[in-house]
């Protein structure tokens, strides 16, 4: 927390604003379909980059796992307990016919790590980071790591054989790919540091490309693993994530207080904003 990366906070700040926008029912379908192509993958890509930045491959595994339990799974447990309590009042307020049945369903979602509403994000993040941590600690060859996760992802239909956990397993598989790619491409991002014109140009070009390629796929949703054309989904997700990260580098370099201050604030508190 003492040595934060400002461009990552800015990117997460923009990302969480996009997440909120996509949950507004009156947002035009065209805008929503464009933003959902990358707004959630972005957080997993940044997570992988932070794993590289903080040298997790060299740090003690026990220390890392305990830290992830504290900062990811503990909030999941706390908010999984709070959500049903809040919903008791909500269901009574709107006149739901059978509140106990809905509450039982929410308890099952919590216990199976499916997650109530946006809480799906936390188990997906924890286990995808754990998978990548195992990979980077046991092999230092990027190609091997990427092929391993890709082969695992190719087996995701097998998870349908375990209905209650199939959705969670598929999320973890796909999110692991984003975390690993973020880990692998982080060194390349240093080329764009301080190169404002280049970063802005590449970012704009990627967003334009995404405008056309995003329209070629269905409306996607990482939450429910509705990805449409899977190779195209990954292309769009990474294109948008990299474009937004480059834009965040530009904002950091130009150091405009009216942009950096609020966006980095939202980024630092993105998890709390997402949950609430």
């Amino acid at each position: 927390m003492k040595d934060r990366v400002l461009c990552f906070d800015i990117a997460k700040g923009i990302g969480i604003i996009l997440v909120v926008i996509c949950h507004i029912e009156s947002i035009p379908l065209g805008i929503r379909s464009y933003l959902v192509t990358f707004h959630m993958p972005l957080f997993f890509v940044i997570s992988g980059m932070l794993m590289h930045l903080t040298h997790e491959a060299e740090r003690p595994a026990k220390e890392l796992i305990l830290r992830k339990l504290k900062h990811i799974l503990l909030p999941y447990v706390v908010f999984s307990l709070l959500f049903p309590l809040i919903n008791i009042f909500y269901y009574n307020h709107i006149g739901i016919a059978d509140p106990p049945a809905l509450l039982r369903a929410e308890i099952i979602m919590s216990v199976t790590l499916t997650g109530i509403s946006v809480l799906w994000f936390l188990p997906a993040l924890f286990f995808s980071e754990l998978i990548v941590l195992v990979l980077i600690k046991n092999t230092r060859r990027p190609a091997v790591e990427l092929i391993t996760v890709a082969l695992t992802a190719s087996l995701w239909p097998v998870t349908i054989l375990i209905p209650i956990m199939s959705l969670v397993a598929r999320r973890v598989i796909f999110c692991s790919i984003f975390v690993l790619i973020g880990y692998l491409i982080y060194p390349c991002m240093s080329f764009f540091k301080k190169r404002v014109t280049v970063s802005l140009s590449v970012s704009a070009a990627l967003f334009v490309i995404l405008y056309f390629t995003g329209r070629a796929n269905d409306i996607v949703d990482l939450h429910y693993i509705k990805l449409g054309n899977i190779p195209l989904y990954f292309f769009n997700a990474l294109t948008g994530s990299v474009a937004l990260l480059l834009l965040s580098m530009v904002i950091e370099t130009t150091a405009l207080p009216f942009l950096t201050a609020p966006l980095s604030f939202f980024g630092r508190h993105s998890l709390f904003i997402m949950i609430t």
Side-chain angles (χ1 to χ4, degrees):
M1 292 297 291
K2 294 178 182 178
D3 302 308
R4 300 191 67 91
V5 181
L6 183 58
C7 67
F8 287 164
D9 280 339
I10 292 170
K12 290 196 293 182
I14 298 172
I16 198 62
I17 291 171
L18 300 182
V19 170
V20 173
I21 288 173
C22 287
H23 283 80
I24 299 174
E25 292 184 4
S26 59
I27 290 297
L29 189 60
I31 294 176
R32 180 181 283 111
S33 64
Y34 182 75
L35 297 179
V36 296
T37 57
F38 68 91
H39 75 334
M40 286 310 301
L42 169 74
F43 290 94
F44 292 97
V45 172
I46 291 175
S47 175
M49 290 184 171
L50 286 169
M51 290 179 72
H52 194 292
L53 176 66
T54 55
H55 306 288
E56 290 202 1
E58 286 79 39
R59 293 166 62 190
K62 181 179 178 180
E63 169 198 318
L64 292 170
I65 293 171
L66 289 175
R67 181 178 176 82
K68 293 178 192 300
L69 282 168
K70 177 181 177 181
H71 292 285
I72 302 176
L73 276 197
L74 181 58
Y76 174 78
V77 172
V78 171
F79 281 95
S80 291
L81 292 172
L82 288 177
F83 261 56
L85 295 177
I86 294 169
N87 283 342
I88 288 173
F89 296 98
Y90 173 67
Y91 294 149
N92 287 329
H93 176 70
I94 64 174
I96 290 289
D98 190 6
L102 289 174
L103 292 173
R104 283 195 297 271
E106 289 178 347
I107 292 170
I108 291 171
M109 284 191 287
S110 297
V111 172
T112 59
L113 302 179
T114 305
I116 305 169
S117 185
V118 296
L119 293 181
W120 71 268
F121 173 80
L122 292 169
L125 180 64
F126 176 79
F127 288 107
S128 58
E129 282 194 2
L130 209 59
I131 288 172
V132 173
L133 181 63
V134 170
L135 282 172
I136 63 178
K137 278 189 167 295
N138 290 282
T139 174
R140 301 302 171 82
R141 291 177 292 179
V144 174
E145 295 165 1
L146 194 56
I147 290 170
T148 302
V149 175
L151 288 174
T152 305
S154 69
L155 300 175
W156 73 267
V158 177
T159 61
I160 297 173
L161 299 176
I162 315 171
I164 197 168
M165 294 297 291
S166 64
L167 183 58
V168 177
R170 283 179 286 166
R171 283 177 192 156
V172 171
I173 288 171
F174 286 110
C175 292
S176 297
I177 297 177
F178 287 124
V179 174
L180 180 58
I181 291 176
Y183 182 88
L184 296 177
I185 68 173
Y186 173 74
C188 304
M189 300 299 287
S190 60
F191 170 81
F192 296 96
K193 197 74 173 175
K194 306 296 182 181
R195 291 180 167 90
V196 175
T197 304
V198 175
S199 298
L200 191 58
S201 300
V202 174
S203 175
L206 292 176
F207 277 128
V208 171
I209 291 171
L210 182 63
Y211 174 78
F212 294 102
T213 57
R215 291 159 65 93
N217 206 4
D218 298 327
I219 292 184
V220 295
D221 189 340
L222 189 57
H223 181 181
Y224 296 106
I225 311 298
K226 296 178 180 179
L227 309 181
N229 182 303
I230 292 178
L232 185 58
Y233 171 75
F234 274 97
F235 176 83
N236 291 338
L238 293 173
T239 298
S241 297
V242 172
L244 186 52
L245 281 162
L246 292 177
L247 178 61
S248 301
M249 286 184 178
V250 172
I251 296 172
E252 176 188 17
T253 304
T254 53
L256 300 173
F258 66 91
L259 279 179
T260 55
L263 291 177
S264 61
F265 175 83
F266 291 145
R268 291 193 303 273
H269 301 91
S270 57
L271 181 59
F272 183 77
I273 294 170
M274 184 181 295
I275 290 172
T276 53

